[in-house]
Amino acid sequence: MWNEESDWIGSFDALLARLAECSMCSRRSGERPGAAQMDVKILDVAAEGGYGRVFRCLDVHTGALVAMKQITMVRLSQGIPAQIIREVSLLRELHHANIVKLLRVGFTENRYVNLVFEHLDYDLHQFIVNRGYPKDATTVKSFMFQILSAVAYCHSRKVLHRDLKPSNVLINHSKRLIKLADFGLAREFADDFLYTEKLGTSWYRAPEILCHSRQYSTQVDLWSVGCIFAEMVIGQPLFQVINCRDELEGIFKLLGTPTEETWPGITKLMPNLHIYCSKFDPLGLETFVTDLEPSGLNLLSMMLCLDPSKRISAEASLKHAYFTDVNWI
Amino acid sequence: MKISDENSSKPINPTSFQGGIECVGNRKMGQNRRALSVINQDLVAEGRPYPCVVNKRALAEKHNVCEKKQADPGHRPITRRFAAQIASTQKNRAEGTKKSNLGNSNSNGFGEHIFVDEEHKSTTDDQPVPMSLEKTEPMHSESDQMEEVEMEDIIEEETVLDIDTCDANNPLAVVDYIEDLYAHYRKLEGTSCVSSDYMAQQSDINERMRAILIDWLIEVHDKFDLLHETLFLTVNLIDRFLAKQTVARKKLQLVGLVAMLLACKYEEVSVPVVGDLILISDKAYTRKEVLEMEKLMVNTLQFNMSVPTAYVFMKRFLKAAQADRKLELLAFFLVELSLVEYEMLKFPPSLLAAAAVYTAQCTIYGFKQWSKTCEWHSNYSEDQLLECSTLMAAFHQKAGNGKLTGVHRKYCSSKFSYTAKCEPARFLLENPL
């Protein structure tokens, strides 16, 4: 299966090269600040987003491929964004085979923060879109095991990722290796703490966050992992498939509208729940996630559990029957 | 509040404590013939008889008890010496008074505390059981008022409580990982500490200036209503930066402000704006200076802000001590006094935290108190804490005097339950090392 991939990777690289040549991305060296100071030579633009850009570069010392994430500091008057401080600080302390390695950090021209990472071939979102999703169960299982290993490690270090989604899951093609990336929303958590509710990509956001809870924990990451799991199996975001006005309604359509019995504390968290949406009977995961073995479906249902206190942990997930025959090395 | 030496025969006045949740588990340091799981040891004032009755119950779940905690001075094990101390406070009391109290189960003052006796599990609930204090041959000279009390039938060795059982269903407590996590913190704290003589390389600033800065920042931290961990991280960043960079006197306050800004960005949900920090410095610095210093600091510290400070250890050790609000506030008061003192940099954060909890217990209970549970979870014996603890008691004693009274003022407020007003543990200073 992995051999078939090489053609696609080649075409993807060519696409990036063409993208880099287009007028929008083509910039004079003066407009690509930081390359010299960061000891890298920019090859092309790998991605562009609201935060800034990611360049594919060569390390001038080793000749190795690296990725340089260049973040534009928008509110210059407030100095270095908290997200960058957290991301860099946490990545310096998180050492795990399934977490992307941060190589160096630097500032340029007062406007940019440059983070140089190890290079990976593509992300899980690109993999799903370009490959028509990982069709074989072995790959799904291997990817899931690695994602959960990284998440369990983060949680053991009291770190919440808070923005798990396919585009933040990177893939090393040759080693069949998964690495978590983008810890910009990550933070260390305390056991009595109120956090911000404005985070995470909505399709992967846990129901307690969508219900505006500010006291949440490790379970928010497990919900996101469950969404990624389903997406790998069906080839598109699970809650995009369901016809609904917003994510919360989609969740309730799929899993049923919660009650005090099924989710103790929901009425306190969302007093206007009965006004907000009608009472849905659960459609059931098996309605949408069809090509998944029973043990996988069982694990998925434990991850996509509405009540956070009943949601499975990353550590427990790794011991689930679904992974008895996992082989990811 | 009277403070007495552990070995003196003076009475120890009772202290009122707020309730808390108590977890009693099954991890033991030795084989007990009888396990005293929880026993109230309120020592009453002179003139009132010491109650010799406890409410005894069979436990449904022997290994995992969660009870409401009442007045309980640190779960102190009844040792021979402690029992002798109890006995000596009652030396001249009439036998009849004692008997009348034994017969009255309502006057025991023990409330709903649990006494676990593994040899008598079948005893009915709330049945009063006399706990007589036998007199034996005195071990000391005739002039010594202390009396030996045979306690071997009651307890041989204190158990180590499992402090995490109660949090098994709390995902925020990461119970599955907690031991590994703190082992990791202990390993990491060595790299995040600074040399206790770094100030020698600074030409324009000294220990006194550092103390003034931190004392002021503690007040700023309080006024901004920031998280505990933000303060501890701020001080850590200041020291690590000053250990690597020579700083001019006029820039020291800027270093402090920027350290607090960075700590806020790492820890807080809502971060104070740069303009506010400039205002509290009385506009001593420009925005440009603040932002340049921020860059210099993060580069110097290599963005390393995920460091274990005394705060993370305080949380763990206070849990091990089964601390109530009073003990917690006092421990934090003592550790914040220590943040100001440059000489305390010679102690790692974990030792600082353990010593603060130990000193707070000594202060409240009036005797040296460090349970096996505290020793187990902190990895520090009482002897290892004494040097640091003696210094803390000294800081407590002089906290309200002198020019640096920021911490004292903070803890003299109603917000902190007037904690600073409690008497220091002077007996810790009587026999300095």
Side-chain angles (χ1 to χ4, degrees), chain A residues 148-285:
Chain A
L148 284 163
S149 297
V151 172
Y153 173 79
C154 289
H155 293 175
S156 77
R157 290 283 179 263
K158 273 202 152 189
V159 173
L160 297 180
H161 188 287
R162 305 198 300 176
D163 194 21
L164 290 169
K165 54 185 176 182
S167 58
N168 287 340
V169 176
L170 306 181
I171 302 169
N172 178 316
H173 170 70
S174 59
K175 293 180 183 172
R176 311 180 184 190
L177 198 59
I178 284 278
K179 298 212 180 205
L180 289 196
D182 203 343
F183 281 72
L185 287 176
R187 69 164 299 134
E188 283 193 75
F189 61 90
D191 48 6
D192 51 1
F193 204 73
L194 293 174
Y195 306 106
T196 178
E197 61 194 76
K198 302 177 184 77
L199 53 82
T201 308
S202 55
W203 282 331
Y204 309 93
R205 207 179 284 172
E208 59 268 34
I209 294 172
L210 293 168
C211 289
H212 309 292
S213 170
R214 289 185 63 209
Q215 214 155 13
Y216 51 79
S217 179
T218 52
Q219 310 98 320
V220 297
D221 284 342
L222 268 295
W223 178 275
S224 303
V225 172
C227 294
I228 293 167
F229 189 9
E231 189 168 339
M232 278 198 281
V233 177
I234 65 175
Q236 55 184 313
L238 177 62
F239 295 105
Q240 189 184 29
V241 177
I242 302 159
N243 179 32
C244 54
R245 61 178 169 164
D246 61 27
E247 295 78 22
L248 203 53
E249 189 184 79
I251 290 168
F252 294 162
K253 270 188 176 178
L254 181 70
L255 303 171
T257 306
T259 61
E260 269 302 313
E261 289 71 48
T262 60
W263 183 353
I266 184 62
T267 49
K268 193 179 175 186
L269 192 59
M270 220 178 163
N272 59 343
L273 180 65
H274 59 289
I275 303 161
Y276 169 78
C277 68
S278 42
K279 185 154 172 47
F280 296 109
D281 290 321
L283 293 168
L285 281 167

Side-chain angles (χ1 to χ4, degrees), chain A residues 192-193, chain B residues 218 221-222 225-235 260 263 267-268 309-312 314-315 318 325 328-333 335-336 339 410-411 415-416:
Chain A
D192 51 1
F193 204 73
Chain B
I218 286 169
H221 171 270
D222 183 37
D225 209 20
L226 301 171
L227 298 168
H228 261 310
E229 43 265 66
T230 304
L231 174 63
F232 288 87
L233 181 56
T234 299
V235 176
M260 184 162 274
E267 298 285 5
E268 303 282 340
T309 62
Y311 176 79
V312 297
M314 286 284 281
K315 289 201 78 172
L318 283 165
R325 173 95 175 128
E328 186 179 321
L329 283 171
L330 186 53
F332 272 107
F333 169 55
V335 85
E336 283 181 36
L339 287 180
K410 172 181 169 179
Y411 281 89
K415 181 181 172 184
F416 293 95

Side-chain angles (χ1 to χ4, degrees), chain A residues 76-80 82 85-86 88-90 92-93 105 107 110 156-158 187-191 193-194 216-217 219 315, chain B residues 171-172 174 177 181 184-185 188 227 229 262 265-269 273-274 287 291 294-295 298-299 302-306 315:
Chain A
L76 286 170
S77 64
Q78 296 308 310
I80 306 160
I85 286 169
R86 283 202 201 113
V88 176
S89 185
L90 291 172
R92 286 184 89 267
E93 295 307 315
V105 190
F107 298 97
N110 293 322
S156 77
R157 290 283 179 263
K158 273 202 152 189
R187 69 164 299 134
E188 283 193 75
F189 61 90
D191 48 6
F193 204 73
L194 293 174
Y216 51 79
S217 179
Q219 310 98 320
E315 190 72 19
Chain B
L172 284 161
V174 287
Y177 308 114
L181 183 67
H184 173 68
Y185 285 157
L188 215 59
L227 298 168
E229 43 265 66
L262 288 169
K265 284 179 177 181
Y266 186 81
E267 298 285 5
E268 303 282 340
V269 171
V273 293
V274 172
R287 185 179 295 273
L291 300 183
E294 183 185 42
K295 254 182 216 173
V298 293
N299 278 331
Q302 298 178 301
F303 276 89
N304 187 12
M305 287 169 215
S306 305
K315 289 201 78 172

